[in-house]
Amino acid sequence: MIEVKNLTKHYGSNRAIDNLTFSAGSESTGNIIGFLGPNGAGKSTTIRILTCFQPADSGVASVAGYNVFSQSMDVRRRIGYLPESAPLYGEMRAREYLHFRGKLHRMAKPDRDAAVKRVTERCWLGDFIDRPIGQLSKGMRQRVGLADALLHDPPVIFLDEPTIGLDPVQIRETRKLIRNLGDHHVVFLSSHILHEVEQICTHVIVVAGGRILASGAPAELSERISAGSRLIAEIKGDSESIVSAVKSLSGVENVDCERLDGWNRLAIESNGAGDIREDVFKLVSDKGWSLREMRREVASLEDFFIKITAEQSTAR
Ligand SMILES: Nc1ncnc2c1ncn2[C@@H]1O[C@H](COP(=O)(O)OP(=O)(O)OP(=O)(O)O)[C@@H](O)[C@H]1O
Ligand SMILES: [Mg+2]
């Protein structure tokens, strides 16, 4: 559904995306593809190119079987696009706007009526469909933008940070909606929230600095991230004996110890090959020490980006 090869785009001398190659929306990736990356990674630039809103400097890309550069009208008919900030007309009411957009898609009146009704329900616009868009909150406008993207029931839907600006309830509802969309559409969404793409995507592409750093199923990605996580354990007893005993456990690579109101707060790094929690617990129990806390400190997305960026530069 989405094929990208050697796509590069500069803004002046700034290379926003650098030789991107990926394919998405096939059997191997599933239908919901997350484009995950920090600010400035090149997510919106890539989406704007794939939705025919801007050209690339080089490379090729096709969506739904059509070339985004030479067959842009064919692509546009088959895609829905929710941009980062939806460009809506403030003086129009949401209903009028959706009808206007339906006309642009050349939908006949009965089809348009049915489509507006469908997206109104799907995107929960019922409460404010007849209010001027200019008076709507950011989250409400985001939902109108989403309704617009779904209006002509396109096979491929691009959503640029779809949950930004929504409250927690709406975020949950939107994620549910996206998951449902995956049953009949290919959805390509950008996000900088690791947890979000883990929850809803069938395939994740990690980008930073305009390059792809990793891609795979969310579970594979979580595994790589949790490999960089640390175990925090608070144990009472002689610090030196505790540190040396924990260090000797199989798989443990490093132990930092901090004294905290009579307890030792250990940060234990392991090689990620297995779960060491049970071994730590057994050790504490065998030695007759006390344990008051044990938890996994999951590496943040930033840690993950730093880690895989470092892996990439040493691999080069
Ligand atoms: N219209 C533009 N003119 C000049 N530079 C731009 C333009 N749009 C993006 N850039 C630059 O291109 C790079 C990639 O930006 P892009 O907006 O694609 O990133 P992003 O991953 O969407 O980031 P964010 O998470 O902040 O939305 C950044 O360095 C940005 O400053
Ligand atoms: Mg962006």
Side-chain angles (χ1 to χ4, degrees), residues 122-158:
R122 277 200 124 164
C123 303
W124 323 281
L125 308 184
D127 297 341
F128 53 82
I129 181 98
D130 289 311
R131 279 174 52 192
I133 292 171
Q135 292 177 14
L136 300 180
S137 72
K138 187 171 169 8
M140 290 169 175
R141 281 205 294 271
Q142 186 79 345
R143 279 148 66 186
V144 177
L146 188 59
D148 177 16
L150 306 181
L151 192 66
H152 55 302
D153 206 22
V156 188
I157 300 163
F158 290 91

Side-chain angles (χ1 to χ4, degrees), residues 176-229:
K176 199 159 89 190
L177 169 66
I178 294 171
R179 252 182 259 131
N180 291 341
L181 286 173
D183 292 342
H184 301 287
H185 307 259
V186 168
V187 184
F188 188 92
L189 66 96
S190 76
S191 176
H192 60 275
I193 308 165
L194 177 63
H195 170 66
E196 175 162 286
V197 297
E198 274 182 321
Q199 267 192 351
I200 54 181
C201 297
T202 51
H203 185 81
V204 182
I205 300 168
V206 183
V207 281
R211 291 174 170 215
I212 295 180
L213 299 186
S215 67
E220 289 171 37
L221 202 67
S222 307
E223 221 167 77
R224 286 185 67 179
I225 295 170
S226 63
S229 67

Side-chain angles (χ1 to χ4, degrees), residues 27-289:
E27 241 170 56
S28 63
T29 64
N31 273 358
I32 308 182
I33 297 94
F35 207 43
L36 177 70
N39 293 140
K43 303 181 296 293
S44 299
T45 300
T46 306
I47 290 182
R48 284 197 298 264
I49 294 170
L50 295 179
T51 51
C52 312
F53 274 80
Q54 73 182 27
D57 298 336
S58 57
V60 284
S62 72
V63 173
Y66 293 91
N67 185 306
V68 299
F69 306 119
S70 60
Q71 298 170 300
S72 70
M73 287 317 289
D74 295 294
V75 172
R76 279 168 197 249
R77 267 195 284 277
R78 289 166 180 82
I79 60 168
Y81 171 36
L82 173 69
E84 223 165 7
S85 46
L88 307 166
Y89 297 101
E91 68 284 2
M92 271 190 187
R93 293 172 199 280
R95 188 194 303 277
E96 279 175 76
Y97 174 73
L98 292 172
H99 273 278
F100 161 70
R101 296 286 296 168
K103 280 184 199 162
L104 291 182
H105 287 300
R106 300 182 186 194
M107 295 164 88
K109 175 84 167 63
D111 294 342
R112 223 162 55 220
D113 285 341
V116 170
K117 186 164 180 288
R118 177 175 49 83
V119 297
T120 300
E121 282 164 11
R122 277 200 124 164
C123 303
W124 323 281
L125 308 184
D127 297 341
F128 53 82
I129 181 98
D130 289 311
R131 279 174 52 192
I133 292 171
Q135 292 177 14
L136 300 180
S137 72
K138 187 171 169 8
M140 290 169 175
R141 281 205 294 271
Q142 186 79 345
R143 279 148 66 186
V144 177
L146 188 59
D148 177 16
L150 306 181
L151 192 66
H152 55 302
D153 206 22
V156 188
I157 300 163
F158 290 91
L159 306 173
D160 198 353
E161 309 253 5
T163 58
I164 234 167
L166 301 183
D167 66 40
V169 175
Q170 292 302 333
I171 288 177
R172 203 174 56 204
E173 293 295 316
T174 304
R175 288 178 184 164
K176 199 159 89 190
L177 169 66
I178 294 171
R179 252 182 259 131
N180 291 341
L181 286 173
D183 292 342
H184 301 287
H185 307 259
V186 168
V187 184
F188 188 92
L189 66 96
S190 76
S191 176
H192 60 275
I193 308 165
L194 177 63
H195 170 66
E196 175 162 286
V197 297
E198 274 182 321
Q199 267 192 351
I200 54 181
C201 297
T202 51
H203 185 81
V204 182
I205 300 168
V206 183
V207 281
R211 291 174 170 215
I212 295 180
L213 299 186
S215 67
E220 289 171 37
L221 202 67
S222 307
E223 221 167 77
R224 286 185 67 179
I225 295 170
S226 63
S229 67
R230 304 189 306 172
L231 187 68
I232 305 294
E234 290 190 11
I235 302 171
K236 197 183 241 173
D238 173 59
S239 304
E240 267 182 41
S241 320
I242 293 173
V243 170
S244 96
V246 172
K247 267 190 180 159
S248 66
L249 291 175
S250 154
V252 171
E253 290 189 333
N254 189 38
V255 180
D256 282 332
C257 179
E258 189 189 341
R259 292 285 293 171
L260 210 73
D261 57 13
W263 288 72
N264 301 289
R265 191 165 193 275
L266 269 60
I268 308 163
E269 285 169 33
S270 62
N271 60 15
D275 191 342
I276 57 161
R277 286 176 297 183
E278 193 175 348
D279 293 341
V280 171
F281 179 77
K282 271 198 189 131
L283 176 72
V284 170
S285 156
D286 290 349
K287 300 274 187 186
W289 295 325

